[in-house]
Each structure stands twice: as structure tokens, then as C-alpha cells.
Amino acid sequence: MKQPESNSAGKTIMLQGTASDVGKSILTTAFCRIFVQDGIRTAPFKSQNMSLNSYVTPDGKEIGRAQGLQADACRIAATTDMNPILLKPVKDMTAQVVVHGRPLRNYEARAYREEYLEEAGGIVREALGRLRETYSLVVIEGAGSPAEINLKDRDIVNMRLAGWADAPVILVADIDRGGVFASIVGTLEILEPHERDRIKGFVINKFRGDVTLLQPGLDWLEARTGKPVLGVIPYLPRLGLEDEDSASLDSKREQGRRKAANTLQKKDSGTGATVQGSGISAKPSADGNDPPAHKLDIAVLRLPRLSNFTDFDPLHEEPDVELRYVEHPEEWGIPDAVILPGSKNTMDDLAFIREAGLADKLLEHRASGGAVLGICAGYQMMGSRLLDPDHVESDREEAEGLGFFPVETVFTSVKKTVRVEGEGSLFTRESTHSIEGYEIHMGESRFLEPVSYPFRVSESIVSTERAEPHAEGAQSEDGLVWGTYIHGILHNDTLRRSWLNRLRERRGWTPEEQLLQFGKRRDEAIDRLADHVRRHLDMERIYAMIE
């Protein structure tokens, strides 16, 4: 097939959607890997991303998680040029604006639109220009829908961006949500003629069923619009790649609620084991063998401003774990461990878990010997006191923590974003494990009394001298309660398995071998996605579009 010719300015192709959550991010990831497999030096780009799922670049800057995944699909290091503007919601109608990986300020929606969007447009064009100077092809992801007529005059994410990039556009629609033909035709009708001309074809995503039954609709769509259907992508279950935003998280939470409703839990008098009914279909083990007989029940508190929930992706893949998200006390059940996750608004989310009754449940869980893990904001909540005198995150100036550790956290306007690596152990009788991850937080914590530290880490930023190792996190004497600022801590395979086996030991269950290599499985999942999408796309036509 013909590939883009090399020239001083890289080629572009853009994926826009008929709505949010139609699969643009995942399809962009697939396109990135497909082009790289075909020998093209490729980079991803999303001008403005609204997400609480972050990624830290090698030089210690913050971008959207989806663009980090797409850079990995391109097998290149991520930079802030790939996502120059990141919006992180702090509360309703207010977001922290992160520009080239550093927080600028909090903006209300109207003020951002009226005061900053014009300047943001210049930043976006410059970033895209630098990528095009470096790479042969830039795969651009749009945001939401291009047919939002109230936003079009200052658009920096969809059709105006396509014009700046001179990019052919593929319009993606999600057939799983229904009304796919209406969403495509309706989007075209709202666009202006020159915008419609930029759309070169359609991709229908998340299809389930016999595509021959869909063919009459595809024929009608092509005749009605004069544009080709470039592919119908069947739904791909258990993809194993991180999601961009909380829409997918809420879906996972609903799945967990249905599982809990179909689970018969009964304490085994001999071991305290939980006996599960037939309502849950067991996950296959990492090596394809039969799944373990006993599964750990791990609950994550579903905070209103939960961030970086990709921290728990490895637990979704572990065959001896059932992971679920809990928002109400009646969903609590009998968890083996509870995780306090990251948050974009620690003070308000701490108030939420108290008002919802989840804090009482958590304290009861610990009092009965249960395991607790806090990551980033969750770790801050586990301390004795939180202070926000300058209202960096919240209107609240002070809050009492949950009291697991003698730690006081003060929120400041300086955000720490850094990659770290080191070693540590949760249990004194164990050998240490090598670990790596990243920190993204605005609070500074200090210990009011001596504590036990699970990790010693160094900051590992490209082009700077590595700092001396320092203690990180806190843990109880038995290692069952621990907290850390390190996002991605559970992506460390041996440490994760050590923790899970300790929970199994407390149940009287035999330990499981470390079979899941999450990083390797993630890269294989990108290849699997790319192969799946390639089989169902007209790649010849797409390469012709790029030219």
C-alpha cells in the first residue's frame, strides 16, 4: 500500500466523533500502532484534553493519559507537544488549566472561553507545528463532537484544528449506543460546507452482530452522503488498555454492582473464605489455565473527583481478584482490602466519604483487621490533618484526616510532577522489590511522629542529575495499611503479587505465582487492537486520504 511521502512538514490525519466516548482515543491508539508497524515515524496529538487521568512525561510534565498511551503505541517518548492543553475538573464548571505540563490557574468555563482560548489556539498551533517538523505523520484526535454549534466560533479541538493542520477527517460513530446513522447524518448537516468537505469517510465502532445485516444501512449512508464507510469495527472484549475518562469507570462500577448482586457470600467456618455463587463468570488466569478457586474482593472508593483510576488496571487483569467500585455503604460487602484512590479535590472528596458514611465503614474495616491502601490523595486522607489556607483545591481551609498515620498535608500552588524509581517492601520478612511510577500532587506532607516507610525512591527526570534516594510513603507495622504518593505502584508486578498473596494468606489460601506481566500484556494488547482494527479498515483508502 502507498505510504506518505517524506517532506519537511509531516502529513496529518484526524479522527473526530459524533459524540464523546465513541472510541476516538482507542481508535487513535490503533492507528498509531498500525502506521508504526508500516514503518512510518508517527506521533499522536490532541490539542486540548479534559481528563482526570494523567500521564507524566519523561521530563516530569503532565499530559492526558490517552496521549501517553498513544505515544507508547508509536513507540516514542511522550512530550507535552502531544497534548499542550490539559483541563482537570476541580468542581462543577471549574477546571485547572495545565499548559505544556504545568498548571497555569483554575478557570471557570466562561472565563476560560472568553479570556484564554485565543491564546490557547496559538499554543496548540505551535505544538502541532513542532510535531510535524519531527514526524512523518501526526494522528490527531478530536474532542467531543464537531457539531457543537455553541462552541464552534472558538474551537481549537475539531474542525478549526483540522483546517490549521490541513488534515483529512474520519468521523467515528458508536453503533452500540444506537442511532448511528442519524448521528452521522445529523453531524454532517450541522457542519458548514467546507467542514463537510474535510470529512473523507466514516468508521462505525463497537459493532456486535452480523455485518451483512448492517449492509443495507451502509449502502444508504454512502448514497445519502457521498462519502465511504471506511470500516465497521466489531466490539473487542477485554481489551486490556486504560480508559481516558470516568464514563468507562462508571460502566465498570455497574458491572461490579451486578456481580455483587449475583454473588452468594458465606463465611467458611474453617478458613473465613468467601464462597461465591455462579453469578460471576471467572476471569481466565494470566497463562490461560483455569482461574483460581478463591478470589480476593478488593473495593475502590468511587470518589466524585477520582483521578488516575488507571492505577488499578493491573488488578482488573489479575485472575484471583474481583475489583469493584463503591459509592454507597450498602455496596460495601466484605472486602479483603479497600483502596482510597487519587482525587483532584482531596478536601471535598474526604468530606464526601464522611457524609456518605463510607469513612465509618472504612474505619470499621480497619478495626476488624482489614487491609487499606491509599494512593496520592487517598494517602493524604489517611493522615491526621489537611490544610488548604490558600484555597488551592477547595473552599475548605482545614479538615481532619482519617488518622491512619501521623501525617499533616498542606496544599500549595506548586504541583509536583515527577517520575520515580527505587525499591521497597510492605512486609519486613520479605526481600525488597524494584519499583517505579510517577507523582502528581499539589500537597506537601510532613510526619508529626516517626513512621515506617515502605519505599526508598529517587526522582528520575531526563537530562537532570538523579537526586539521592529518600524515604517515601507510610505503612503500619503489619504492612496491611499503607499509603504512597506513587501512581502506578500496582503496575510493579512482584510488589503487587506480594501484596495480593499476603491478603490470600490471611484468608488461609495458598499463594498464587506471579504470572501477569502487566507491561508486556499492555503492549501485546496494543498489537491485538491494531491487528483487529486493521482487519476491518480500508487501509488503501486511508493512505490515499493522507496523500
Side-chain angles (χ1 to χ4, degrees), residues 133-268:
E133 290 172 0
T134 307
Y135 296 92
S136 301
L137 178 62
V138 179
V139 183
I140 304 172
E141 179 188 341
S145 163
E148 304 294 345
I149 55 176
N150 56 312
L151 303 177
K152 286 178 62 176
D153 62 324
R154 299 190 186 182
D155 166 45
I156 65 170
V157 295
N158 286 314
M159 279 301 173
R160 283 180 77 212
L161 174 60
W164 297 337
D166 194 21
V169 175
I170 296 174
L171 186 64
V172 180
D174 177 3
I175 196 171
D176 199 40
R177 63 175 61 188
V180 67
F181 299 117
S183 67
I184 292 172
V185 173
T187 298
L188 292 180
E189 287 297 319
I190 290 174
L191 297 179
E192 297 173 32
H194 72 275
E195 295 172 329
R196 282 196 295 272
D197 290 343
R198 282 218 170 268
I199 294 180
K200 304 304 181 184
F202 315 115
V203 169
I204 294 177
N205 197 24
K206 306 180 190 178
F207 179 71
R208 305 170 193 251
D210 183 351
V211 73
T212 62
L213 298 178
L214 187 64
Q215 192 60 50
L218 304 180
D219 295 340
W220 175 88
L221 181 62
E222 292 187 339
R224 173 67 171 76
T225 65
K227 299 178 186 292
V229 176
L230 299 167
V232 177
I233 311 299
Y235 174 75
L236 187 61
R238 293 192 57 78
L239 181 55
L241 293 174
E242 55 258 44
D243 298 304
E244 181 179 25
D245 53 39
S246 60
S248 58
L249 182 64
D250 291 337
S251 175
K252 290 176 181 176
R253 178 170 170 266
E254 184 59 32
Q255 291 170 12
R257 179 184 293 172
R258 290 197 299 267
K259 287 181 179 180
N262 292 323
T263 299
L264 174 64
Q265 294 186 327
K266 182 173 70 175
K267 284 289 186 178
D268 183 287

Side-chain angles (χ1 to χ4, degrees), residues 151-453:
L151 303 177
K152 286 178 62 176
D153 62 324
R154 299 190 186 182
D155 166 45
I156 65 170
V157 295
N158 286 314
M159 279 301 173
R160 283 180 77 212
L161 174 60
W164 297 337
D166 194 21
V169 175
I170 296 174
L171 186 64
V172 180
D174 177 3
I175 196 171
D176 199 40
R177 63 175 61 188
V180 67
F181 299 117
S183 67
I184 292 172
V185 173
T187 298
L188 292 180
E189 287 297 319
I190 290 174
L191 297 179
E192 297 173 32
H194 72 275
E195 295 172 329
R196 282 196 295 272
D197 290 343
R198 282 218 170 268
I199 294 180
K200 304 304 181 184
F202 315 115
V203 169
I204 294 177
N205 197 24
K206 306 180 190 178
F207 179 71
R208 305 170 193 251
D210 183 351
V211 73
T212 62
L213 298 178
L214 187 64
Q215 192 60 50
L218 304 180
D219 295 340
W220 175 88
L221 181 62
E222 292 187 339
R224 173 67 171 76
T225 65
K227 299 178 186 292
V229 176
L230 299 167
V232 177
I233 311 299
Y235 174 75
L236 187 61
R238 293 192 57 78
L239 181 55
L241 293 174
E242 55 258 44
D243 298 304
E244 181 179 25
D245 53 39
S246 60
S248 58
L249 182 64
D250 291 337
S251 175
K252 290 176 181 176
R253 178 170 170 266
E254 184 59 32
Q255 291 170 12
R257 179 184 293 172
R258 290 197 299 267
K259 287 181 179 180
N262 292 323
T263 299
L264 174 64
Q265 294 186 327
K266 182 173 70 175
K267 284 289 186 178
D268 183 287
S269 58
T271 65
T274 299
V275 180
Q276 295 183 331
S278 60
I280 296 178
S281 58
K283 289 181 287 187
S285 66
D287 64 352
N289 295 327
D290 291 337
H294 299 299
K295 289 194 175 188
L296 296 166
D297 178 15
I298 298 181
V300 180
L301 299 194
R302 175 59 168 103
L303 306 177
R305 296 295 178 195
L306 186 154
S307 66
N308 288 74
F309 57 83
T310 51
D311 283 338
F312 319 118
D313 283 355
L315 297 178
H316 281 289
E317 300 299 318
E318 286 286 5
D320 64 334
V321 171
E322 286 293 350
L323 187 71
R324 55 194 178 89
Y325 294 86
V326 172
E327 191 170 6
H328 305 288
E330 55 268 27
E331 300 169 342
W332 192 267
I334 313 173
D336 293 288
V338 178
I339 300 177
L340 275 162
S343 166
K344 191 64 193 74
N345 193 321
T346 309
M347 302 275 273
D348 287 358
D349 277 357
L350 177 58
F352 163 78
I353 67 170
R354 283 204 165 99
E355 293 164 2
L358 293 172
D360 290 339
K361 284 288 189 180
L362 181 63
L363 295 173
E364 291 170 7
H365 168 79
R366 177 51 188 161
S368 63
V372 182
L373 162 60
I375 299 177
C376 199
Y379 171 40
Q380 294 170 339
M381 293 179 193
M382 296 172 78
S384 55
R385 192 165 65 147
L386 297 94
L387 302 172
D388 192 2
D390 297 326
H391 303 285
V392 172
E393 281 203 353
S394 169
D395 295 332
R396 307 167 195 266
E397 293 189 359
E398 182 174 344
E400 181 182 354
L402 296 170
F404 290 99
F405 301 118
V407 179
E408 180 180 88
T409 297
V410 179
F411 294 100
T412 67
S413 59
V414 178
K415 177 180 279 192
K416 184 174 184 179
T417 58
V418 64
R419 285 188 171 273
V420 298
E421 58 185 34
E423 59 182 20
S425 173
L426 301 176
F427 316 110
T428 55
R429 66 177 184 269
E430 282 190 343
S431 58
T432 59
H433 307 281
S434 296
I435 62 167
E436 62 180 17
Y438 58 97
E439 296 184 29
I440 305 175
H441 58 90
M442 301 189 79
E444 292 293 333
S445 297
R446 68 182 185 94
F447 293 97
L448 307 177
E449 300 173 16
V451 299
S452 174
Y453 306 104

